[in-house]
Structures are given as structure tokens and as C-alpha cells.
Amino acid sequence: MSAAGSLLAVVPAASVLLLTVALRSRAVDAVAPLRLAVVRSVLLTGVYAVLVVELLGALHALTRSTFAAAWLLFLAAAATAAGLRQRSSRPAPPSAATPRPVPVGAVVGGSPETPEPVATSSGPAPTRTSRAPSGLLAVAVDTWRTAGRGERLLVGTIAGLVLVELLVALLAEPNNFDSQTYHLPKVEHWVAQGDLDFWPTAIHRQVTIPPGAEYLLLHLRLLTGGDQLHNLVQWAAGVVCLLVAARITAQLGGGRRAQLLTAFVLATTPMVVLQATSTQTDLVCAAWVTCAATLVLDGLRRRTGWGTLLGLGAATGLTAVTKTSGLIAVGPLLVLWGLAQLRLSLAAKAATSGTAANPATPGTAATAATPGTAANPATPGTGANAATGGDRRPRPAGGVVRTVGGSVLILLVAAVVVGPFLARVTAEFGHPLGPPRLRESIPMERHDPQSILVNALRIAHTAFDTPVAPLRRAGAEVIIDGAGVIGVDPQDRAITFGREIFPEPAWYPDEDRVAFPLTGALALIGAVVALARPRRIDSEQAGPLRAYAVVVLAAVLLHTSMIKWQPWGNRLILYAVVLAVPLAGLWVDALLRRRGANSTRRSVATLAVVTVLATSALAGVLALSYGFPRRLVGSGSVFTTSDWDTRFLRRPQWADEFRWAAAAVRASDARRIGLVQQNDNWEYPWWLLLRQPDGGSPDLVALQSVLPERPPADPSSVDAIVCTGSRPACTKLVPAGWRLEFRGYVGYALPPAR
């Protein structure tokens, strides 16, 4: 990566930081305003990144210069917005002639005063007015200074894991299996073409799977000229998940300790640890889903403004363009938002009409309301204007119209983000969800209760897998025998992906499969308690807790009824795990602060919690140290393995074969090279090995195509052929008289003249 590429790669990160300053909430009652600003900035940046790709792709201008110009323009806009925000936050100089008392929200000693929660380890604290620390560093220092020993241990563990993950992400070459097949080849095709048009290919996932995460990779690819920073996209998404999950915990009433417990449980989840250094897409999807969730929770107690509506639309669109399965959670979240907005309208109407004659009557909605609730229309930010003389009494019909209008706006914004991709897919295949083979391979094809139950049990078995083999076998036997009793074949292709066979071990730390028994158990318990006994967690947040638990459980149930079981299904449900972890943090915190139990029971509960957390930390550390296919120690360590060999840790026997075939093709001076491969073969190594001497993309064309409207290239039109997978399939496409060489998985063919 060149020095210019390094500088350009910093621009997106700098833009996010500047936007975080510019988009800091002005509401005095905003929960975790800094994290809310992060949510706003990453959503705005994500939408900008997607729309830049779509616009420049339509103009056939996917080049480094155009992307550099786009990001420099965005940086300038972000810097301007941050500067204006800082200037508007400065107080006017006091007038010597008319001194006035300093109210809450004015400036004292150069810092704005804002209501700041007093963080304690026992739960949410009352609000006090204090001088707000200026900047993220000041907040971090203040938090560390007031934290207890246990909280500091949690912070240190989280920070240590995140920083070491960053190190691995920077040192390791991209080596995810799916990335070799379709994630990264997709990016290289765009760079070679200069646009987003579909191309003939034998790997349909290169064009049919939503490309949102790959759009982000495309920016890094063009700005830096290579894939050295590709792993940072998922790493950044993991950081966003930690921050937003902690904010969700705060929105549900959790104090600092509960928020740290949430972040700790999530940060030590092996699937999160391993994917944070990968070029997979599941953490990116989870980040957009949690952004939607935190904005929805903001709408439970106040009417949603235009900015939040745009944010919800952005989160929905980014989820859809990244991984459509994430919409399984976003859908229930938006339903919750709509119901909450309607309830707020009706509550405001009831409060207004019920207190018009005597607003001060004890027991009425107006006096019973607490600040920040819908029953107090005078609360700042709720949309009421009690201070003015105008009559702004909410009307039920008006509330319905506003909610419907807001819903339409959300969908319109989402359509702007995902619409261009869906339009291309529809034009190509006649269906927005792609060809029949895609629509039938992953979604459930049977929806009778018995089949859904068996599918859910198999998904749960894989998600909660442990190294205890007898336990795994016993659980699988119970599921298989039970499926037979209710008349369901547990290996039925209608509820099972491809030719996979249940059960499949998933306990070992592999980025595509690793189970999450501890995180899953804590999240499940937290969800059940929040649903059945929410007051045990927080007596003042019973409604929001129960509503959020319903959404989480609905997402899980919808997932198990819509997505077939598959051995790597644990990563597909990662978005739901991230969404559920705040309930785990809240429940554990409530367990630690229970005062009604006797000392023995409290000691046992504390010991159990400490044991679980220590085990979780150990699991995270082991996943980072020995995880596959990127690890710190042992065979395949990022410190001792060469760059090329790191790329092939999944299939080390292929490393020399690709080099051997590519060297022969390069020696022949071939310019136009044909590809022969099957649906799950590795294509990306060819893009690296066959680059032009000046670093330009090679001219690679497919000799097979699963796209009916895009025929493959004629084998006689190419100068050489490279093959992966099946030698018979390659032989059928090699012109007569050509020399074919094959070595294991890889082969090549050259004409007689070469």
C-alpha cells in the first residue's frame, strides 16, 4: 500500500469522527449522546458510501480518482458541519450591562452544562447537572476515574480484545473461504469493469447476494490499491456493535455496570472475536440492525423527529443491501416503533383532553407523567409546545397520519439505498430475490409447525454446541428421534441446506461455525426474565424491557421458521445474538444487585456470575489466540506465516498449485484469460496472481455462466485458460490441440503457439 493510499484510507475514519462531533444530540435528556452521535455518523457515512458506489457505477466511473474526490468532498463537508456545530455551541459573551443568572444548559468555565447521569454499579442513577466532559478522551478519563475495580477489569478486557483484534486484522491477509469465492472477486470485477453491471460467471453468489459490505470494501480497494485493510470493515463493525449494544442497555435502564457487562459478554463471544478480523459480512449486518434497534428504542417515549426517521430508513436500507436476513429483526423493530408512536399520540391526546379543565388534579395523566414520557406533552423533545399560547393538542387521526407518513419515509429512504441493486437483480432474473436456485437453497420450503420445530431445535443444537461430545450426541439423538415421532425427516432437503447432514460439530473456534453457548444461554435467560418478570430487572422499565424481549424472541422465531439449518448457521444468526446481548447484561447486573436474598444465596449468585464471566473471557481469549483461520499462536500464526500462505490456511495444499498455474500463464504472455470453475471454487487468487505488470486488473473472462442473459466467452477467444475444481469440466471447454496441465485442484491450458 502506497503512502498516498494510506492517507486516503484515513479520510473515511476522519469523516466519521468529525460527523460524530457535528451530530451530537442537543436534547438534554438524550441517553448516551456520544454513542447516539456515533450511530448517526456511521449511518450517514454508510449511506454515502453506498450511494457513491451506485452513482459512480452508473456513470462507469469506479476509479481511484473519483473515489478520492468523493471522500475529500465528504471530509470537507463533515469538517464544515463539525466547525459550525462547535461554533453554535459556544456561549455568547455575557453583557456587562445586563448580567443574568446562568441557567442549566449555559456555559460555565468554557464547558456546556448538561444533565449527566451519575454512574454507579448498582443501576441507573438519578440525573444531576454537572459540567460535561469535553470530548471522547475526557469522557473515558472521567469514567475510568470513577469506576470500581470490577468495572475496570471489564473495561480492560474489552479494550484488550478490541486492540489485539485490530492487530490481527492489520497483519492477516484476507483468507475467509467465501471471500475467496465471491466476496472479493465481486470487488475485483467492479474495479476491472469500472461499473456495477453483472457479468457472466459460474458462481451466482457473485451477482445475486446483496453487496453492501463489498461496497465498503470497494472503497478501500480503490483508495489503497490492494486488500491490506479489508479486514478493518468487519473490525469497525464489531466496535459499532459493542457501542450500540451498550447504548441499548442504557436505554433499557441499565447503569454503567450493566452496560459494561453487555459489552463484555459481546466482546468475548468467540463468533464476534473471530469475525472482527475477517472479510465476512455478518458483523456489518449486525451493526446496521443494532443501529435500527437503538433508534427504535428512542421512539418508545418520544415522537420521532425527521432526523431519526431518516436514520431508521438508512439502517433499514443498509441492512437490506448487506444481508437480507437482517430484515428478519428490522421488521419487528419497525413494528414496535410504529405501535409506540401510535400509543404516544393516543396518550398525549388523553392527557390533553383529560386535564383541560383542571390540569393540576392529582392522579391525572398530566401530573402522573414523568419527564420524558408521552403523558407529559410539555417535555422537551416530545413535540408539544405548552410554553406557547398556541393550541397544539394532538389528535388521534393526526397521530396516525404522522406515523404512517413516517413509515413511508423510512421505506423510501431504504428504497433509495437498496433499490438500485434490487432493480438490477429484477432486470436480470425477473425477481428481486434473484434466481430460483437462490430463493430455494436458503429459505425454508416447508412451514408446517412440525418442520419449523425440528428446524428450530437443530439450529439451537448447533448454536449451543460444546466440546462435550456425549452431550452433543445425546442432544442430536433426542432431536432426530423426536423428529421421527412427529413425522419429520431431520435431513429433509426442504428444511436443510444443500446436502448437509445434521448434526455437525460447531464448538471449535472457526469463524464460520463456532457456537456461543455461554452468550446464548445468558441472552436466553435475560430475554425470558425480561418477558415474564421484567420488574426483577428494572421496575421502572418493565414496559420497554418486555417489548424489546418480544422483538428479540420474534426475530429468533422468524429466523428459525424462514432459514434452513446449515452447519455454518451460527454466523447467520449473529445479528440476533448481538440484538439479545443487552438483555443478558441487564439480567446479570440485576442478579448482582439483588438485595432481597440472604447472604448465602447472594454469594452463590455472585460466584456463579463471576465463574460464567471468567469462562466467557477465557473463551474469547482462546478464540483470538487459536481461532481459525487467523490466530496469534501455533501453526498458522499471523506472526510466523507468510502473506501468501496465510491466504491459504483453509486449503494449504492449493497455495503452490495456484502459483504453479499462474506462473505458466504469465510466462506465455497471455492477455485474455478464461476461467473454468464451479459454484464454490476459489476465484480470488487469480486476480492477485495474474495482475498486469503495472498493477492493473487482469482480463479474466468466464467460460461458463449461470446467468441466462449473459453468455460466457468463447474458449477460442482467450489466450489461456485457468481451471479450479473439476478436471473433466475443464477438459470439456479446452479447445482441441491445446495443452492441458492439472495438478490436484488447479489446472491451466495453453494453445500450441504458447
Side-chain angles (χ1 to χ4, degrees), residues 28 60 70 113 115 135 146 179 183 218 262 285 294 330 396 429 435 441 474 479 489 497 548 636 701:
V28 295
H60 305 281
E113 287 191 350
T146 59
S179 297
H183 290 310
L218 175 62
T262 294
C285 174
T294 194
V330 173
F429 301 104
S441 61
I479 294 173
D489 178 4
F497 180 85
Y548 189 77
V701 296

Side-chain angles (χ1 to χ4, degrees), residues 542-697:
L545 280 167
R546 181 173 283 135
Y548 189 77
V550 168
V551 168
V552 170
L553 293 175
V556 173
L557 293 175
L558 286 172
H559 184 99
T560 57
S561 63
M562 297 173 67
I563 306 296
K564 294 177 179 177
W565 175 87
Q566 44 199 288
W568 44 89
N570 287 342
R571 67 177 182 81
L572 300 184
I573 204 170
L574 183 59
Y575 70 90
V577 174
V578 177
L579 206 61
V581 165
L583 296 174
L586 287 163
W587 175 71
V588 172
D589 180 65
L591 194 65
L592 290 174
R593 56 184 166 84
R594 287 184 62 185
R595 293 183 172 85
N598 59 48
S599 58
T600 302
R601 292 179 61 184
R602 289 185 61 188
S603 299
V604 171
T606 301
L607 179 61
V609 168
V610 171
T611 302
V612 170
L613 294 180
T615 306
S616 181
L618 179 62
V621 171
L622 290 177
L624 188 57
S625 301
Y626 295 97
F628 193 74
R630 292 165 304 281
R631 58 178 52 172
L632 291 173
V633 297
S635 176
S637 167
V638 295
F639 297 113
T640 60
T641 308
S642 68
D643 294 348
W644 186 252
D645 288 337
T646 297
R647 297 180 184 274
F648 285 85
L649 285 174
R650 285 282 186 191
R651 299 291 186 271
Q653 68 274 19
W654 295 351
D656 290 337
E657 294 178 8
F658 270 98
R659 275 182 162 172
W660 159 77
V665 171
R666 287 198 309 269
S668 70
D669 292 326
R671 292 292 179 264
R672 182 175 167 87
I673 303 164
L675 287 173
V676 178
Q677 54 196 358
Q678 287 72 58
N679 186 55
D680 206 31
N681 288 175
W682 286 18
E683 180 182 313
Y684 186 59
W686 299 126
W687 291 96
L688 299 175
L689 291 167
L690 299 175
R691 281 189 178 179
Q692 302 293 338
D694 62 355
S697 299

